[in-house]
Amino acid sequence: MDFLVVLVSILTVALVFVLWIRKKHAFWKELGVPYVEPHFFYGNFKDVDQYQHDGQFIQRFYRKYKGRSPLIGMYTFLKPVAIAIDIELVKNILIKNFNSFHDHGTYYNEKDDPLSANLFNLPGTKWRQLRHKLKTAFTTGKVEMMFTTMWEVAKKFESKIGEACETGGEFHNRKLMTRFTVDVIGSCVLGVEANSLEDENNGFFQVGMSIFHNPRHGMRFIFLLNVFRDYARKLRFKLFRDEVIEFYTRIVRETVDYRLANHIERNDFMQLLIKLYTSKGEDKLSFNELLAQAFVFHIAGFETSSTTLQFCFYELACNPEIQDRVRNHIKEVLENHNGQLTYEALMDMKYLEQVLHETLRKYPPIGLLPREASQDYKIPNTKCVLKKGINVIVPAYAIHHDPEFYPNPSRFNPDNFSEEAVKNRPSVAFLPFGEGPRICIGARVGMMQTKMGVIAGLRKFRYTLSPRTKQPLKLLSKFNVIYPEEDVWLNVERID
């Protein structure tokens, strides 16, 4: 009899549990929103980081449901997630109704992992206050002051490409581009000489690369942390590995202490952070706040620019006529500026900008832009109300590959960003840096260093694909930042 009671009790609990799960997964059905049938436990993200890059994963559903509904419903484990399909809804979320979607809804733990409490992750008032403090670092004047420092590193980058010409005429695309951007951002953000171009075994390069290529958690676990943020903080989960936290804490602490002790000032991002750190007013930053912002601008600055350069040089190697056109364009603009690369000359290189925008269109650094409803929000022209706390995803990768906005989207075509083409397309159809008040604050710095990388790399050299590069190029599924799955090798020859 006791055994039967226990068995009935277990079956009853199991049944209640199953019914509870099914009730959770009935959320979108009850709202009358088209939805993707979820896995019992994982929801719709079971295969994320296994088979497809997350941007391509969502693209399948974007294509299927576009025109049928302004949004579709999915689930991260048990939590409902809305995927914005209609371009006007995307504009509302990012710009028009920003106050209803001002947070990313991502996990951070400022107590145990100070690096995670950065501008990207912080919500609401914390984000607004911090953004206000930091915006003066990215005015046109401040960005222009970084020009000389960036170009000095770019010339070293050019020399490294020249060395590759002399030692076999082939190089590993990712490593060289990342070494360049690590050195640029190290100088302009942290104010330190990383010297990755000279020594790829140094700490900046190795630790920086490990953040993305050897993360503490996989994508599915990151989704889990985002869903159960409060519980994760109580359990003291960290986003970054301990050695990463220790490395950046030491480097930033040494830099701050050295500058303060020796009264050293530089025209870089670190100087602004130090000024806020030593201030007495309401703009004052704690050391952990300074640390988190120095960290995020360093890793975001070098990694997104590095991937853009990698894909740009890959596409130029695949499209020699575009490569020749942009090289000739660079030379013509330089001739109009007495052969000197100045900030003004850089701004005049319109076709170079088109090439980089097309690279960012085809390979956006982040394929999905997360948002979280900060208040109840009624979807225009529907009866659907997104409740406060619902996560919303803007599928940037899918939008960038939508033939409505970009004819033949798999083709690399810089004319997609001619003045006329841009005018005839919704502004939110191009989202490499996000859009609206939460657009990437350092976008202009990233574009400037990327332009310099292309100029330094193209002026004197021509590129073709090495036979070691596998075609067609596939995207790595393990990370939300976009990478090629296989190593890309390029042949290079000197043409000056």
Side-chain angles (χ1 to χ4, degrees):
M1 180 63 74
D2 290 342
F3 172 76
L4 186 59
V5 170
V6 171
L7 180 60
V8 170
S9 298
I10 292 174
L11 291 175
T12 302
V13 170
L15 178 61
V16 169
F17 178 71
V18 169
L19 292 175
W20 178 72
I21 296 286
R22 288 185 175 176
K23 176 64 176 175
K24 289 285 187 180
H25 283 166
F27 179 86
W28 293 117
K29 184 177 181 179
E30 292 173 356
L31 273 183
V33 172
Y35 65 97
V36 181
E37 197 66 40
H39 179 276
F40 180 76
F41 177 71
Y42 290 105
N44 298 111
F45 291 83
K46 180 177 183 293
D47 294 335
V48 165
D49 84 3
Q50 298 295 311
Y51 306 110
Q52 277 188 309
H53 184 265
D54 56 10
Q56 293 175 320
F57 173 74
I58 295 296
Q59 183 186 25
R60 290 185 294 161
F61 307 109
Y62 174 91
R63 288 174 171 173
K64 179 178 179 180
Y65 288 95
K66 185 182 176 183
R68 297 168 53 184
S69 174
L71 76 162
I72 59 171
M74 299 180 75
Y75 297 89
T76 305
F77 297 96
L78 303 180
K79 186 170 183 180
V81 179
I83 313 296
I85 302 294
D86 180 72
I87 200 69
E88 283 302 312
L89 178 59
V90 169
K91 189 173 183 178
N92 289 346
I93 291 168
L94 298 180
I95 304 173
K96 288 184 178 179
N97 304 124
F98 172 76
N99 286 337
S100 297
F101 299 96
H102 53 66
D103 293 346
H104 283 158
T106 48
Y107 177 73
Y108 70 97
N109 179 357
E110 53 192 331
K111 179 180 178 181
D112 300 295
D113 183 359
L115 302 186
S116 67
N118 55 61
L119 191 63
F120 182 86
N121 289 331
L122 289 176
T125 302
K126 288 184 177 181
W127 167 77
R128 291 180 188 277
Q129 291 175 343
L130 188 57
R131 174 123 183 168
H132 177 75
K133 295 175 186 178
L134 299 178
K135 67 180 181 180
T136 57
F138 297 99
T139 61
T140 300
K142 292 291 177 62
V143 172
E144 191 173 350
M145 282 194 295
M146 300 180 190
F147 179 90
T148 301
T149 301
M150 285 189 181
W151 185 233
E152 288 303 313
V153 178
K155 288 188 287 188
K156 295 179 183 178
F157 172 62
E158 187 178 58
S159 296
K160 281 295 170 185
I161 297 173
E163 290 178 17
C165 289
E166 307 303 323
T167 57
E170 184 185 59
F171 65 89
H172 189 285
N173 193 19
R174 176 174 58 82
K175 284 186 179 180
L176 185 59
M177 302 305 167
T178 306
R179 288 161 67 187
F180 164 61
T181 57
V182 165
D183 282 2
V184 169
I185 295 298
S187 295
C188 294
V189 172
L190 298 181
V192 298
E193 299 299 325
N195 290 319
S196 299
L197 283 167
E198 297 302 325
D199 177 20
E200 66 178 86
N201 294 315
N202 73 72
F204 274 100
F205 181 73
Q206 295 297 328
V207 174
M209 291 284 284
S210 75
I211 294 169
F212 297 95
H213 296 276
N214 183 28
R216 187 174 194 127
H217 308 295
M219 282 303 302
R220 280 189 290 182
F221 195 81
I222 293 294
F223 280 129
L224 194 63
L225 292 179
N226 290 339
V227 170
F228 301 106
R229 296 194 292 272
D230 292 337
Y231 293 109
R233 288 190 192 101
K234 290 177 181 178
L235 294 171
R236 307 185 67 176
F237 280 108
K238 302 176 183 179
L239 276 181
F240 301 102
R241 289 181 293 108
D242 290 341
E243 55 265 38
V244 171
I245 299 171
E246 291 166 6
F247 176 83
Y248 276 94
T249 302
R250 176 176 60 81
I251 292 296
V252 172
R253 172 61 76 185
E254 289 175 355
T255 302
V256 171
D257 289 349
Y258 181 78
R259 289 198 190 185
L260 291 177
N262 294 279
H263 308 289
I264 294 173
E265 294 190 7
R266 290 183 52 170
N267 291 322
D268 57 22
F269 181 64
M270 178 60 77
Q271 194 61 46
L272 170 73
L273 293 179
I274 291 174
K275 183 178 179 181
L276 295 172
Y277 173 60
T278 57
S279 70
K280 302 296 183 183
E282 39 183 60
D283 283 348
K284 181 177 177 61
L285 294 180
S286 68
F287 176 76
N288 278 355
E289 289 174 323
L290 179 156
L291 169 64
Q293 308 333 307
F295 167 76
V296 75
F297 282 111
H298 184 250
I299 63 164
F302 85 73
E303 190 62 21
T304 56
S305 296
S306 167
T307 55
T308 302
L309 281 171
Q310 291 171 49
F311 286 114
C312 181
F313 275 84
Y314 164 79
E315 287 289 352
L316 293 178
C318 293
N319 297 277
E321 70 288 348
I322 297 176
Q323 183 182 157
D324 289 340
R325 183 179 171 185
V326 70
R327 183 186 295 108
N328 291 334
H329 172 70
I330 289 168
K331 289 181 177 180
E332 288 171 7
V333 173
L334 290 177
E335 286 173 4
N336 293 334
H337 288 267
N338 301 315
Q340 299 297 313
L341 182 65
T342 61
Y343 184 78
E344 291 72 23
L346 198 68
M347 295 300 103
D348 284 347
M349 294 183 183
K350 303 302 182 184
Y351 187 68
L352 170 58
E353 187 164 282
Q354 286 180 224
V355 168
L356 289 173
H357 281 175
E358 176 65 354
T359 304
L360 289 164
R361 192 277 304 173
K362 194 173 179 182
Y363 309 99
I366 304 294
L368 305 177
L369 304 180
R371 291 293 187 271
E372 183 177 76
S374 51
Q375 58 191 27
D376 290 356
Y377 179 79
K378 183 179 181 298
I379 304 297
N381 304 315
T382 74
K383 296 180 180 179
C384 174
V385 176
L386 295 180
K387 295 294 186 181
K388 178 180 178 181
I390 291 290
N391 290 110
V392 181
I393 289 176
V394 173
Y397 184 91
I399 293 170
H400 284 196
H401 290 78
D402 187 335
E404 178 185 348
F405 308 123
Y406 303 97
N408 194 6
S410 61
R411 177 182 167 224
F412 186 79
N413 178 20
D415 289 335
N416 281 326
F417 291 90
S418 66
E419 187 174 342
E420 182 179 358
V422 171
K423 284 181 180 178
N424 293 328
R425 190 168 55 233
S427 61
V428 291
F430 184 57
L431 298 167
F433 304 109
E435 190 51 272
R438 279 204 91 136
I439 193 171
C440 175
I441 195 173
R444 285 194 297 174
V445 174
M447 282 297 292
M448 188 164 76
Q449 71 164 327
T450 308
K451 288 179 181 178
M452 288 189 183
V454 176
I455 294 167
L458 274 189
R459 290 194 306 173
K460 303 176 182 178
F461 308 101
R462 179 179 289 114
Y463 302 87
T464 56
L465 284 185
S466 164
R468 298 170 66 179
T469 299
K470 293 184 179 180
Q471 294 277 69
L473 198 67
K474 294 182 180 180
L475 301 183
L476 191 63
S477 63
K478 293 183 179 180
F479 313 117
N480 61 341
V481 176
I482 197 166
Y483 298 105
E485 186 175 87
E486 303 284 349
D487 289 341
V488 173
W489 290 84
L490 299 181
N491 294 325
V492 58
E493 60 177 323
R494 190 182 293 273
I495 58 174
D496 60 336

